[in-house]
Amino acid sequence: MAKSKRQIREDEENEARVSEIMGRVRRMDIRTKRLVDDHLAGSYASVFKGRGMDFDRVRNYVPGDDVRTIDWNVTARTGEPFIKTFTEERELTMILMIDVSASSDFGSSEASKRELQTEIAGVLAASAIRNRDKVGLVLFSDDVELYIPPVKGRSNILRVIREALFFQPTGRGTNINGALDFVNRIMQRRAVVFLISDFRLHGDEKELQHKLSVTGRHHDVIAVGVNDPLEGDLPDVGVLRIEDAETGEMVQIDTGSAKVRESYRLEAVNRRNRISAAVRRSGVDFLEFATGHDWVPALMNFFNKRRARK
């Protein structure tokens, strides 16, 4: 059956869209590969490799052994003290948790927050894959939108980039706590977890602190905050009607008023400080990046500090 002109036009538009998407995915893949080659080739392995410990076997307790390694189940069953022994775990699992709520699409520079999040995730995934580690992906908004179980292989980098950049979520809000609960349920073994979000919370920072603390006891968690400069500093452009991307709430702001601009700036600073304090009190490392700025030096500095701590 011959296609109608409308069907032909729709097919052509779909092909053009697919071509555009794949072009952007390939360009971002090339850039992330170059960043890994130029800056992060050895840093990832030196910071994360060998931090996990894999159970090996049990053996009889001898004086001098760490009593914290006693296997109480075997000890109770045999009537003699046994301890667990461990070997260094060389293969790690990385979980990339990426916030795809509506606010992530905002950007006042060449790149949106979501594009910056994707680039960061692509670099981290490429670093892990190069070291023969597994990489999994969790996309979340006000619910978990997509889960890709951890796998190896370079093709997984392309999939991470594609989904992180183009996945269309059904939700608009941000529920980090629910996403952390999901990771805690599905990941039984210790993993390196990167939580990448703009942290536009509509809830209690103390609850976030608690959830991060719980996850941090089981996994190596690094929180990555991605912001846009315009979110903290309004330009003087007169009266604006601003919509909250996640709630749809409309607010009218007179940016021509220096008092209004300063109040807006202080509120943004206070919000970021509350989030930063909650994350750090949880015992989790916290990185912050902004669109329109070179974020690689800050990531390298973070790796160097963790290497020194290790």
PDB file of all heavy atoms in Angstrom, residues 15 25 38 52 56 58 79 88 92 118 148 157 239-240 264 305:
ATOM      1  N   GLU A  15      12.960  10.437  10.809  1.00  0.00           N
ATOM      2  CA  GLU A  15      14.329  10.118  10.435  1.00  0.00           C
ATOM      3  C   GLU A  15      15.266  11.273  10.752  1.00  0.00           C
ATOM      4  O   GLU A  15      16.393  11.074  11.221  1.00  0.00           O
ATOM      5  CB  GLU A  15      14.397   9.778   8.938  1.00  0.00           C
ATOM      6  CG  GLU A  15      13.768   8.438   8.583  1.00  0.00           C
ATOM      7  CD  GLU A  15      13.806   8.169   7.083  1.00  0.00           C
ATOM      8  OE1 GLU A  15      14.425   8.975   6.363  1.00  0.00           O
ATOM      9  OE2 GLU A  15      13.231   7.154   6.647  1.00  0.00           O
ATOM     10  N   VAL A  25      24.474  12.483  20.338  1.00  0.00           N
ATOM     11  CA  VAL A  25      25.033  11.422  21.167  1.00  0.00           C
ATOM     12  C   VAL A  25      26.481  11.153  20.773  1.00  0.00           C
ATOM     13  O   VAL A  25      27.367  11.040  21.637  1.00  0.00           O
ATOM     14  CB  VAL A  25      24.191  10.133  21.050  1.00  0.00           C
ATOM     15  CG1 VAL A  25      24.929   8.951  21.687  1.00  0.00           C
ATOM     16  CG2 VAL A  25      22.837  10.313  21.709  1.00  0.00           C
ATOM     17  N   ASP A  38      42.390  12.823  28.247  1.00  0.00           N
ATOM     18  CA  ASP A  38      43.265  13.951  28.571  1.00  0.00           C
ATOM     19  C   ASP A  38      43.417  14.194  30.066  1.00  0.00           C
ATOM     20  O   ASP A  38      44.462  14.677  30.512  1.00  0.00           O
ATOM     21  CB  ASP A  38      42.723  15.235  27.921  1.00  0.00           C
ATOM     22  CG  ASP A  38      42.803  15.191  26.401  1.00  0.00           C
ATOM     23  OD1 ASP A  38      43.512  14.310  25.877  1.00  0.00           O
ATOM     24  OD2 ASP A  38      42.141  16.031  25.755  1.00  0.00           O
ATOM     25  N   GLY A  52      36.464  -1.590  47.704  1.00  0.00           N
ATOM     26  CA  GLY A  52      35.526  -2.589  48.188  1.00  0.00           C
ATOM     27  C   GLY A  52      36.242  -3.850  48.625  1.00  0.00           C
ATOM     28  O   GLY A  52      37.376  -4.116  48.237  1.00  0.00           O
ATOM     29  N   ASP A  56      35.696 -13.863  51.119  1.00  0.00           N
ATOM     30  CA  ASP A  56      36.484 -14.979  50.580  1.00  0.00           C
ATOM     31  C   ASP A  56      36.083 -16.290  51.244  1.00  0.00           C
ATOM     32  O   ASP A  56      35.544 -17.184  50.597  1.00  0.00           O
ATOM     33  CB  ASP A  56      37.973 -14.690  50.787  1.00  0.00           C
ATOM     34  CG  ASP A  56      38.868 -15.785  50.227  1.00  0.00           C
ATOM     35  OD1 ASP A  56      38.429 -16.471  49.273  1.00  0.00           O
ATOM     36  OD2 ASP A  56      39.991 -15.966  50.726  1.00  0.00           O
ATOM     37  N   VAL A  58      35.718 -18.435  55.538  1.00  0.00           N
ATOM     38  CA  VAL A  58      35.864 -18.341  56.989  1.00  0.00           C
ATOM     39  C   VAL A  58      36.995 -19.250  57.431  1.00  0.00           C
ATOM     40  O   VAL A  58      37.279 -20.262  56.789  1.00  0.00           O
ATOM     41  CB  VAL A  58      34.553 -18.736  57.716  1.00  0.00           C
ATOM     42  CG1 VAL A  58      33.432 -17.756  57.393  1.00  0.00           C
ATOM     43  CG2 VAL A  58      34.136 -20.159  57.384  1.00  0.00           C
ATOM     44  N   GLY A  79      30.556 -23.985  67.740  1.00  0.00           N
ATOM     45  CA  GLY A  79      31.031 -23.908  69.117  1.00  0.00           C
ATOM     46  C   GLY A  79      32.448 -23.404  69.220  1.00  0.00           C
ATOM     47  O   GLY A  79      33.003 -23.318  70.324  1.00  0.00           O
ATOM     48  N   GLU A  88      40.462  -8.202  48.251  1.00  0.00           N
ATOM     49  CA  GLU A  88      40.161  -6.901  47.670  1.00  0.00           C
ATOM     50  C   GLU A  88      39.337  -7.080  46.392  1.00  0.00           C
ATOM     51  O   GLU A  88      39.659  -7.890  45.536  1.00  0.00           O
ATOM     52  CB  GLU A  88      41.467  -6.172  47.331  1.00  0.00           C
ATOM     53  CG  GLU A  88      41.268  -4.716  46.972  1.00  0.00           C
ATOM     54  CD  GLU A  88      42.596  -4.003  46.779  1.00  0.00           C
ATOM     55  OE1 GLU A  88      43.317  -4.346  45.837  1.00  0.00           O
ATOM     56  OE2 GLU A  88      42.899  -3.117  47.587  1.00  0.00           O
ATOM     57  N   LEU A  92      34.447  -3.120  40.204  1.00  0.00           N
ATOM     58  CA  LEU A  92      33.466  -2.307  40.911  1.00  0.00           C
ATOM     59  C   LEU A  92      32.202  -2.118  40.078  1.00  0.00           C
ATOM     60  O   LEU A  92      32.191  -2.369  38.874  1.00  0.00           O
ATOM     61  CB  LEU A  92      34.056  -0.939  41.239  1.00  0.00           C
ATOM     62  CG  LEU A  92      35.308  -0.918  42.129  1.00  0.00           C
ATOM     63  CD1 LEU A  92      35.744   0.511  42.374  1.00  0.00           C
ATOM     64  CD2 LEU A  92      35.051  -1.636  43.446  1.00  0.00           C
ATOM     65  N   THR A 118      24.490  15.151  31.753  1.00  0.00           N
ATOM     66  CA  THR A 118      24.793  14.049  30.839  1.00  0.00           C
ATOM     67  C   THR A 118      26.279  13.974  30.541  1.00  0.00           C
ATOM     68  O   THR A 118      26.865  12.887  30.494  1.00  0.00           O
ATOM     69  CB  THR A 118      24.002  14.213  29.529  1.00  0.00           C
ATOM     70  OG1 THR A 118      22.600  14.219  29.818  1.00  0.00           O
ATOM     71  CG2 THR A 118      24.307  13.085  28.556  1.00  0.00           C
ATOM     72  N   ILE A 148      18.552   0.901  34.251  1.00  0.00           N
ATOM     73  CA  ILE A 148      19.360   0.021  33.403  1.00  0.00           C
ATOM     74  C   ILE A 148      20.350  -0.698  34.314  1.00  0.00           C
ATOM     75  O   ILE A 148      21.208  -0.054  34.935  1.00  0.00           O
ATOM     76  CB  ILE A 148      20.123   0.818  32.326  1.00  0.00           C
ATOM     77  CG1 ILE A 148      19.137   1.548  31.415  1.00  0.00           C
ATOM     78  CG2 ILE A 148      21.007  -0.106  31.510  1.00  0.00           C
ATOM     79  CD1 ILE A 148      19.813   2.419  30.364  1.00  0.00           C
ATOM     80  N   ILE A 157      28.219   3.113  27.337  1.00  0.00           N
ATOM     81  CA  ILE A 157      28.446   4.556  27.471  1.00  0.00           C
ATOM     82  C   ILE A 157      27.472   5.316  26.575  1.00  0.00           C
ATOM     83  O   ILE A 157      26.852   6.297  26.987  1.00  0.00           O
ATOM     84  CB  ILE A 157      29.901   4.913  27.106  1.00  0.00           C
ATOM     85  CG1 ILE A 157      30.883   4.133  27.965  1.00  0.00           C
ATOM     86  CG2 ILE A 157      30.133   6.413  27.274  1.00  0.00           C
ATOM     87  CD1 ILE A 157      32.327   4.320  27.557  1.00  0.00           C
ATOM     88  N   VAL A 239       9.821  43.688  34.697  1.00  0.00           N
ATOM     89  CA  VAL A 239       8.877  42.748  35.307  1.00  0.00           C
ATOM     90  C   VAL A 239       8.871  41.424  34.538  1.00  0.00           C
ATOM     91  O   VAL A 239       8.742  41.414  33.310  1.00  0.00           O
ATOM     92  CB  VAL A 239       7.453  43.332  35.336  1.00  0.00           C
ATOM     93  CG1 VAL A 239       6.469  42.314  35.917  1.00  0.00           C
ATOM     94  CG2 VAL A 239       7.426  44.617  36.151  1.00  0.00           C
ATOM     95  N   LEU A 240       9.047  40.330  35.286  1.00  0.00           N
ATOM     96  CA  LEU A 240       9.045  38.992  34.685  1.00  0.00           C
ATOM     97  C   LEU A 240       7.972  38.133  35.332  1.00  0.00           C
ATOM     98  O   LEU A 240       7.701  38.253  36.529  1.00  0.00           O
ATOM     99  CB  LEU A 240      10.407  38.312  34.881  1.00  0.00           C
ATOM    100  CG  LEU A 240      11.607  38.808  34.084  1.00  0.00           C
ATOM    101  CD1 LEU A 240      12.840  37.994  34.459  1.00  0.00           C
ATOM    102  CD2 LEU A 240      11.357  38.709  32.587  1.00  0.00           C
ATOM    103  N   TYR A 264      16.082  37.789  46.126  1.00  0.00           N
ATOM    104  CA  TYR A 264      16.131  36.565  45.325  1.00  0.00           C
ATOM    105  C   TYR A 264      17.495  35.892  45.473  1.00  0.00           C
ATOM    106  O   TYR A 264      17.595  34.664  45.634  1.00  0.00           O
ATOM    107  CB  TYR A 264      15.859  36.918  43.865  1.00  0.00           C
ATOM    108  CG  TYR A 264      15.871  35.754  42.906  1.00  0.00           C
ATOM    109  CD1 TYR A 264      14.707  35.055  42.611  1.00  0.00           C
ATOM    110  CD2 TYR A 264      17.048  35.358  42.277  1.00  0.00           C
ATOM    111  CE1 TYR A 264      14.708  33.988  41.719  1.00  0.00           C
ATOM    112  CE2 TYR A 264      17.071  34.291  41.391  1.00  0.00           C
ATOM    113  CZ  TYR A 264      15.900  33.614  41.114  1.00  0.00           C
ATOM    114  OH  TYR A 264      15.923  32.563  40.232  1.00  0.00           O
ATOM    115  N   LYS A 305      41.864  15.017  46.092  1.00  0.00           N
ATOM    116  CA  LYS A 305      41.603  15.042  47.529  1.00  0.00           C
ATOM    117  C   LYS A 305      41.219  13.656  48.044  1.00  0.00           C
ATOM    118  O   LYS A 305      41.653  13.239  49.121  1.00  0.00           O
ATOM    119  CB  LYS A 305      40.489  16.054  47.842  1.00  0.00           C
ATOM    120  CG  LYS A 305      40.931  17.497  47.732  1.00  0.00           C
ATOM    121  CD  LYS A 305      39.798  18.442  48.116  1.00  0.00           C
ATOM    122  CE  LYS A 305      40.266  19.889  48.068  1.00  0.00           C
ATOM    123  NZ  LYS A 305      39.175  20.848  48.408  1.00  0.00           N
TER     124      LYS A 305
END
